[in-house]
Structures are given as structure tokens and as C-alpha cells.
Amino acid sequence: MLEAQGVGVVYGAQTILRDVSFDVQEHEFVCLVGPSGCGKTTLLRALAGLAPISAGRATFRGAEVRGPQTELAVVFQDYARALLPWRTVTGNVALALEARGIPRTEHGERIRPLLEKLRLAAHADKFPSQLSGGMQQRLQIARCLAQEPQVLLMDEPFGSLDAITRQELQDEVARLAKDERRTVVFVTHDLEEAIYLGDRVIALAANPGRIAEIVSIELTRPRNQLATREDPRFLEYRHRLYKHLGH
Amino acid sequence: MGAIIPGGVLVLWEVLSRMGVLSEDGFSRPSRFFVAGAKALADGTLLAQTAQTFAAAGQALAMAAIAGIVLGAILGLFRPLERAASLTIESLRPIPSVALIPLSLLLFGFSRDMSAWVAAFACFWPILLVTISAVRSVDVRLIEVGKLLGYSFPRIIVKFALPAALPAILVGIRVAAGIAIVVTVTTEIVTNPRGLGFAMTMAAQSLQADLVWATLMWVGVIGYLLNWSLERLERRWLRYR
């Protein structure tokens, strides 16, 4: 449904990505991993229509992605920069509804379940500055869901969170993706996170950024922070993909 | 706590005046100008003059804020336009606003507009420059979020760029409010027969030193109150911080 067809990105004299091709299936959870500087964030931005593509093209349901479109939502790593500090939790979620022209009278009934799903209901009237990092990131995810996108593009969403919050959010996102049957493209530099979450892991190599290997992850769902990570197959995937991270 | 210095000065002043060190012709004395001020307040003249000055300064601030924010947002968003406008801005900005008094008098006669336009010219620049830099430094990430959510460019400006720039713009407006009072009173002293500036000129011409001092301090008081209320407003609007 979301496809990269020979995508190349060049900035000035520097080739960031070269000939990247893959296809994301409907309801699939695809993780992009790679060493820093391999262009994984650029690739995600290209898929979202935020970064100019120099060669090849990105398509969504067969149509070329020429710019941002509401079916494709992006969750940024730096949640603090992506939230509107002058709007409350409710107000930030409402932003997505206002954009879609949904009448104000319906906002309450649409926002409430989202906030409950992301455990923010008790903080509906707080401003982002009054929330913890994990809560702010959940708020950004809630806003993206309010957009009712078909694909969630997540750019190292848990990169700046502490380990415990990170694992909590991993399970939450996995559950959301399954319950709501969303398609997810998830960028991370954390190999274990990629294997834990993904149906498929696409490993990128650097200079220039290109696909090194694509691995299907055959671990049972729902996954479990302890059992899954101790599964021999988990370790096998880890061994297999480890070499692509520049070690 | 902050009242110690002005209070002390007034007491010292009263003492020196009674001892004959300060001449009463020019310096009057605090006990006298409080009486003169109270009388002017009671008979309504001081309030009427204050209303005139405030109306002109308020009009000036409103005109400058609208023009400054709209133009500043446009120039802040479009770099080439700003480059094209910078020569014009930098050659108009150094013109002293009071140098526009003769021209404004020709255009508007003795009226509120006359003072307001001169003061608006002075207030426009800080608001314009602050808005340009505030809009330009809005985080691109916010603009991207706006695009991803499906907002059109004009709505991104209204919903994302201007609110993000608001804290800086409000500081610019507070600075401009002080300038508005200063320039309005100046035009009234120089030519316009209205308001607090004219009241001081008249009092001086009739050798009422007490009334000159009383009016002068009154200008200080309303300037303080204006700044205080704008600060309150800022804190209310920016309570998210």
C-alpha cells in the first residue's frame, strides 16, 4: 500500500539515499533500522512527503506522494517541538479535528476515547509543559490517531525516553497497531526494539543509505517484554541483523 | 518595597522646600502639588485630559500593532520580500517621529488623529521588527505538523506561526505602549491643544508650578498602570508557560 520505488535523495553533493525499494502491506508493522547517518529519518520524511525525492518515487495506494497528506501521519521524535505549547492536551488533539472540519460539538465525544486509550484522560486540561516526556509523546500519538490516518510513520518516537517508559510505550503502540488495524512504519536505531515490534525489519546501510537486508519476523503476537526477548528466534534475528549496525 | 525611593524623595523634597533650600517658584513642594493634583482630579479636568491623551495613544498603538503584525508576519515568512523591504525600513526608521508633527498638523489639523499618527509612526517600528524576527524563528517542525494535519498555508499562519510568535510580539507591544504615551504627550506639548501635554504647557505659562508637577507625576502614574495592566494581560495569555 505504501511503496518506495527506487527512492534516491541527494542534498547538494551528498547522496543520502540510493535506490531504496520496498513495499509496506496493509496492517503491516515495518521497522527501519540502521546506523546513525544511514538516512532512515530522511527515508521516512520522503515517504511522508516532507523531503524532496531526487530519484524514483514514493507511492501510497498507487498514487505518487507529492506532499504531506492526511492519510499519512507522522510521529516525531522531538515531541516537545511537535506539540503546541499554548494548547492543552484536549486542544492539541482538537487541532487534528479542526483541520478535518469536524464540528466543535463532536470534539468531546471523539477526543475522550482517544485520551482514555492513551491514558491521558486525567490530564485533559493540562498544557504540554506540565506533562512528562512519555505523556507528551502519547499526546502526539493521540493527535495523530485523531487525524484518522491509514499509516502511522514514526520517527524514533521513543528515542529520548527512559528505558521503562520506552517499554511501556512499545507495548502500547503494538496494541494500538493491532486493535486499530493501522499500518505502521517505525524508524529506530535500536535493533531489539525493531525486532520486538516489527512484522518485518528493514536494515539500512550507510554512505549512501541503501537497503542492506529485509527480514520477516516470525515471533508470535502479542509479544511480551520478557518472553519475546528471551525467545531463541529473537536472539537469532538479533545476531543476523547486528552486523548491519556498523559493528 | 519599591515605594521607598519615590516616597523618600518626596519627603526630602518637602523638607528641603520648607527649609528654603529649593525655590518654591520652580520646585513647588509635594504637599502643594498633591493638593493641586487632587483639585484637578476632583473637578474633572485632569481626567478629561487623560482621556484625550489615552484615546490618541490607544489609537496610535492599535494602528501600529495591526500594521506592524500584519507586515511583520508577511516579511518574516518571505525572506526575499524582507530583503527587498529592508532599505525602505532602515531609511524610514531613523526619522524622529516628532519631525512628523508639522506634516501631521497639515494633514489632520488640531485633532486626535494628528497626535495618533505621529505616535503610531514611532510605535510601528519596534512592533514590526519584533514580529519579523519572532515569525522567522518559529520552529519549522510546527509548520510541518500543520501541513501534515492538512492545514492550508493561511491557516498555518493563524493557528501555528502567530501564536508561536505571540510572546515576543506582546513584549514589542508593551514597549510600543510606553512610546505611544511619550510621543502623544510630546505632540500635545509642542502643538496640539489637547490632553496632558497641553495641560502642562498651560500650567507652566500661568506659573502654576504645583499643577505642572502634579500633571507630570500623573503621567508617570498612568504610564506605570498601563505597563502593569499589559503585563497582567501577557501573563494571562501566556499562562501555558
Side-chain angles (χ1 to χ4, degrees):
Chain A
M1 107 195 263
L2 183 65
E3 200 176 352
Q5 299 175 351
V7 167
V9 174
V10 178
Y11 285 145
Q14 209 188 350
T15 304
I16 311 287
L17 291 169
R18 180 183 290 164
D19 195 25
V20 174
S21 297
F22 60 88
D23 189 6
V24 181
Q25 304 302 314
E26 189 131 26
H27 310 315
E28 192 182 16
F29 201 122
V30 171
C31 292
L32 293 169
V33 273
S36 51
C38 71
K40 49 192 189 296
T41 291
T42 306
L43 179 55
L44 194 84
R45 290 173 61 84
L47 291 174
L50 285 174
I53 294 176
S54 331
R57 56 188 207 143
T59 64
F60 174 66
R61 296 199 189 283
E64 185 168 352
V65 178
R66 292 173 185 280
Q69 53 192 80
T70 50
E71 292 89 348
L72 309 174
V74 176
V75 177
F76 293 101
Q77 174 181 8
D78 41 7
Y79 41 80
R81 286 174 61 200
L83 297 172
L84 274 54
W86 58 88
R87 281 188 175 229
T88 59
V89 167
T90 304
N92 265 284
V93 178
L95 201 59
L97 303 179
E98 288 162 26
R100 294 166 57 208
I102 289 167
R104 229 158 251 285
T105 47
E106 288 178 34
H107 283 192
E109 62 194 79
R110 284 173 184 261
I111 293 172
R112 219 171 303 116
L114 275 174
L115 294 186
E116 270 158 24
K117 204 174 292 173
L118 285 147
R119 294 188 287 123
L120 287 167
H123 310 288
D125 297 323
K126 287 189 181 162
F127 290 103
S129 60
Q130 297 168 299
L131 303 178
S132 70
M135 281 150 81
Q136 291 186 42
Q137 190 56 293
R138 292 207 300 269
L139 173 55
Q140 199 194 170
I141 294 170
R143 188 176 66 196
C144 283
L145 293 178
Q147 193 181 330
E148 295 199 350
Q150 304 194 22
V151 183
L152 274 178
L153 301 166
M154 310 184 84
D155 183 15
E156 298 197 35
F158 314 141
S160 45
L161 300 174
D162 64 87
I164 295 169
T165 311
R166 203 182 161 106
Q167 296 197 340
E168 270 174 26
L169 278 176
Q170 286 169 354
D171 290 335
E172 261 168 61
V173 163
R175 197 170 55 239
L176 277 176
K178 187 169 166 291
D179 291 353
E180 309 233 330
R181 300 176 61 73
R182 309 272 175 183
T183 308
V184 181
V185 180
F186 189 105
V187 165
T188 176
H189 59 258
D190 178 346
L191 185 53
E192 296 188 22
E193 182 171 72
I195 299 167
Y196 183 74
L197 287 171
D199 296 316
R200 258 193 311 163
V201 173
I202 300 179
L204 297 176
N207 299 317
R210 59 198 185 278
I211 291 182
E213 193 177 357
I214 301 182
V215 178
S216 287
I217 308 295
E218 314 280 348
L219 297 166
T220 48
R221 288 188 187 271
R223 293 178 185 168
N224 176 284
Q225 289 289 356
L226 287 175
T228 303
R229 287 173 192 269
E230 286 161 3
D231 190 316
R233 285 173 300 172
F234 185 92
L235 300 176
E236 237 170 76
Y237 292 128
R238 201 169 161 265
H239 275 276
R240 180 162 161 200
L241 287 161
Y242 191 69
K243 60 178 180 292
H244 300 305
L245 290 174
H247 299 283
Chain B
M1 190 59 196
I4 288 177
I5 295 175
V9 167
L10 287 176
V11 169
L12 188 69
W13 187 340
E14 182 75 29
V15 171
L16 290 176
S17 174
R18 279 175 197 270
M19 284 163 59
V21 179
L22 289 175
S23 117
E24 261 189 67
D25 296 345
F27 286 99
S28 184
R29 73 172 56 150
S31 51
R32 294 227 173 99
F33 56 70
F34 275 117
V35 171
K39 214 184 285 170
L41 263 178
D43 68 16
T45 51
L46 191 56
L47 288 179
Q49 290 151 347
T50 306
Q52 287 184 331
T53 299
F54 246 80
Q59 185 187 339
L61 190 61
M63 292 192 296
I66 292 168
I69 292 170
V70 170
L71 230 88
I74 293 171
L75 296 183
L77 286 164
F78 302 105
R79 264 290 168 77
L81 271 183
E82 198 220 332
R83 272 195 292 273
S86 75
L87 176 71
T88 317
I89 291 174
E90 291 312 318
S91 53
L92 286 177
R93 198 159 67 93
I95 297 177
S97 54
V98 288
L100 296 179
I101 290 177
L103 180 64
S104 190
L105 193 58
L106 271 180
L107 288 169
F108 304 106
F110 297 113
S111 66
R112 186 178 74 202
D113 279 341
M114 181 259 154
S115 292
W117 279 91
V118 174
F121 178 84
C123 296
F124 173 67
W125 304 109
I127 298 178
L128 176 76
L129 295 183
V130 153
T131 306
I132 290 176
S133 84
V135 167
R136 192 191 296 147
S137 52
V138 169
D139 195 338
V140 289
R141 180 54 40 81
L142 281 183
I143 308 298
E144 286 181 354
V145 167
K147 285 187 196 165
L148 288 161
L149 289 171
Y151 281 106
S152 62
F153 192 63
R155 290 181 80 199
I156 288 178
I157 297 173
V158 174
K159 284 202 183 247
F160 295 78
L162 283 180
L166 187 66
I169 293 174
L170 286 181
V171 172
I173 287 180
R174 195 148 51 82
V175 169
I179 297 175
I181 297 276
V182 168
V183 177
T184 303
V185 170
T186 306
T187 63
E188 290 164 354
I189 289 173
V190 178
T191 40
N192 215 352
R194 321 158 41 85
L196 294 169
F198 182 66
M200 274 188 281
T201 312
M202 290 311 286
Q205 278 171 7
S206 55
L207 301 177
Q208 292 173 275
D210 50 358
L211 191 56
V212 175
W213 281 108
T215 312
L216 192 60
M217 291 190 179
W218 177 248
V219 172
V221 168
I222 62 168
Y224 175 85
L225 289 177
L226 180 66
N227 190 62
W228 179 83
S229 40
L230 286 175
E231 264 183 355
R232 288 279 304 239
L233 206 64
E234 251 176 70
R235 234 173 292 154
R236 238 183 96 95
W237 283 354
L238 307 179
R239 77 201 140 91
Y240 60 82
R241 293 203 288 192

